[in-house]
Amino acid sequence: MPSSYERLAELLDPVSTVLLTVECQQGVVGPESALPELAHEARASGALGNIARLVAAAHDSGVQVIHAIAERRPDGRGANHNARLFRAAERLPVRQLSGTKAVRVAPPIEVSEEDLVVRRLHGLSPIQGTDVDPLLRNLGCRTLVVTGVSANVAVPNAVFDAVNRGYTVVVPADAIAGVPSEYTPAMVRNTLALVARVATTDEVLGCLKHPRRRA
């Protein structure tokens, strides 16, 4: 019987694996974040650093990287207003406006020329109603590695939407963050683990650095 690591390695075939970063943008996880508590947690927990490590390994191993960015027009046209979260975002001192520094991918994550950046003007999900799903299908994706923020909203949305569309999802639990700090492990244990393969950053890195040999 294959070991747990061997089963994970089978899922993470570089040819059919895509790494998704969710809202890892300067206006969310950067030093001038609109959400300082979330930004602090992403950095203090090590999640942002782990995401950067995973992105670097994906670049080295030929795994496609997609960065999902949430932004809005200055006039708010097309944006949602039907939840408290959206209305609160309109009043924040830092707004995720298209074309500004706030919607650039945050260091220490590095973006390569081969990476795809998908921007959305509406909704809660990085996948529903965006270009992510057709891009994944055109790339031949079978396994989607989901990283980023927040474990409260966007990350579970991404996981559920990917599973509903037939992808196998891997969640490196130490490469996602939410608030308060104790919420993320509870979300992973009680919800995400029911629909996704939960791993650590080091386990995923080990598979990407030593991909499974084809028979």
Side-chain angles (χ1 to χ4, degrees), residues 119-164:
R119 303 179 182 277
R120 77 178 195 275
L121 293 171
H122 61 85
L124 298 170
S125 174
I127 296 179
Q128 172 66 32
T130 75
D131 288 338
V132 170
D133 183 36
L135 290 173
L136 293 177
R137 296 194 183 282
N138 289 345
L139 291 164
C141 176
R142 296 182 63 186
T143 300
L144 184 65
V145 181
V146 176
T147 67
V149 297
S150 72
N152 305 76
V153 179
V155 167
N157 265 273
V159 172
F160 295 148
D161 285 346
V163 171
N164 283 334

Side-chain angles (χ1 to χ4, degrees), residues 20 53-54 68 71 75-76 80 90 93 100 114 121 125 137 140 166 179 197 204 208-209:
L20 179 70
R53 293 168 64 208
L54 288 165
E71 59 183 48
D75 62 7
N80 287 67
E90 295 173 356
T100 67
E114 291 78 21
L121 293 171
S125 174
R137 296 194 183 282
V179 289
R197 171 64 187 268
V204 174
L208 296 183
K209 292 177 180 177

Side-chain angles (χ1 to χ4, degrees), residues 103-120:
V103 296
R104 298 176 190 165
V105 175
I109 300 169
E110 295 187 358
V111 181
S112 78
E113 292 183 359
E114 291 78 21
D115 291 1
L116 297 170
V117 179
V118 176
R119 303 179 182 277
R120 77 178 195 275

Side-chain angles (χ1 to χ4, degrees), residues 1-214:
M1 178 180 294
S3 67
S4 175
Y5 179 83
E6 289 172 333
R7 291 194 295 272
L8 180 63
E10 289 178 357
L11 294 177
L12 295 175
D13 182 344
V15 174
S16 57
T17 297
V18 173
L19 173 65
L20 179 70
T21 75
V22 177
E23 296 182 22
C24 293
Q25 57 205 72
Q26 297 208 35
V28 175
V29 296
E32 299 177 0
S33 170
L35 303 164
E37 185 181 1
L38 178 59
H40 172 77
E41 181 60 29
R43 293 177 179 274
S45 68
L48 192 61
N50 284 334
I51 296 166
R53 293 168 64 208
L54 288 165
V55 169
H59 292 160
D60 290 342
S61 63
V63 168
Q64 179 67 54
V65 178
I66 298 179
H67 304 282
I69 302 295
E71 59 183 48
R72 59 186 292 122
R73 289 166 48 110
D75 62 7
R77 191 175 296 274
N80 287 67
H81 306 280
N82 58 332
R84 187 175 69 175
L85 177 66
F86 301 123
R87 295 190 293 272
E90 295 173 356
R91 300 190 296 271
L92 292 173
V94 178
R95 300 173 66 199
Q96 315 299 318
L97 299 181
S98 302
T100 67
K101 179 181 177 181
V103 296
R104 298 176 190 165
V105 175
I109 300 169
E110 295 187 358
V111 181
S112 78
E113 292 183 359
E114 291 78 21
D115 291 1
L116 297 170
V117 179
V118 176
R119 303 179 182 277
R120 77 178 195 275
L121 293 171
H122 61 85
L124 298 170
S125 174
I127 296 179
Q128 172 66 32
T130 75
D131 288 338
V132 170
D133 183 36
L135 290 173
L136 293 177
R137 296 194 183 282
N138 289 345
L139 291 164
C141 176
R142 296 182 63 186
T143 300
L144 184 65
V145 181
V146 176
T147 67
V149 297
S150 72
N152 305 76
V153 179
V155 167
N157 265 273
V159 172
F160 295 148
D161 285 346
V163 171
N164 283 334
R165 285 162 174 76
Y167 302 104
T168 297
V169 177
V170 173
V171 177
D174 53 355
I176 64 172
V179 289
S181 58
E182 60 270 19
Y183 180 79
T184 300
M187 163 61 78
V188 171
R189 181 175 59 254
N190 296 305
T191 302
L192 300 186
L194 302 178
V195 296
R197 171 64 187 268
V198 176
T200 66
T201 293
D202 285 342
E203 288 171 338
V204 174
L205 289 174
C207 294
L208 296 183
K209 292 177 180 177
H210 306 285
R212 178 177 63 92
R213 296 181 181 271
R214 293 183 181 275

